[in-house]
Amino acid sequence: IALYYQSLDGLRSGIWDKKTGNWQLLPNNMNDNIKQAVRVANNRVAPELLNLPVKGVTIPDSLTLGGEHVVN
């Protein structure tokens, strides 16, 4: 679970950093992704997979799931 915000003008978005107890500003290229997440959360558009950053998660170059080899 992650907490995100977006300014009312849609120009700034951020993610809550539990480790520091502060909001971390996201790069501008994430604004459209956060805007889409808000639309999904408000039931304005159908649910879909969203590309959002997650703090504190490291994804290895490759991992094994259910016996299948997955490469990122």
Side-chain angles (χ1 to χ4, degrees), residues 21 45 65:
V45 296
L65 294 174

Side-chain angles (χ1 to χ4, degrees), residues 5-62:
Y5 81 87
Q6 187 164 68
S7 61
L8 293 176
D9 61 11
L11 298 178
R12 290 179 313 282
S13 300
I15 186 170
W16 181 253
D17 187 336
K18 184 178 177 182
K19 201 179 273 189
T20 65
N22 292 307
W23 290 101
Q24 179 182 356
L25 191 62
L26 292 172
N28 288 338
N29 64 354
M30 293 302 302
N31 287 338
D32 288 342
N33 298 42
I34 301 297
K35 189 177 292 184
Q36 186 66 9
V38 171
R39 288 184 189 126
V40 170
N42 288 326
N43 294 316
R44 292 185 184 159
V45 296
E48 61 181 83
L49 290 176
L50 300 166
N51 182 15
L52 300 172
V54 180
K55 293 288 294 175
V57 175
T58 303
I59 301 173
D61 290 336
S62 63

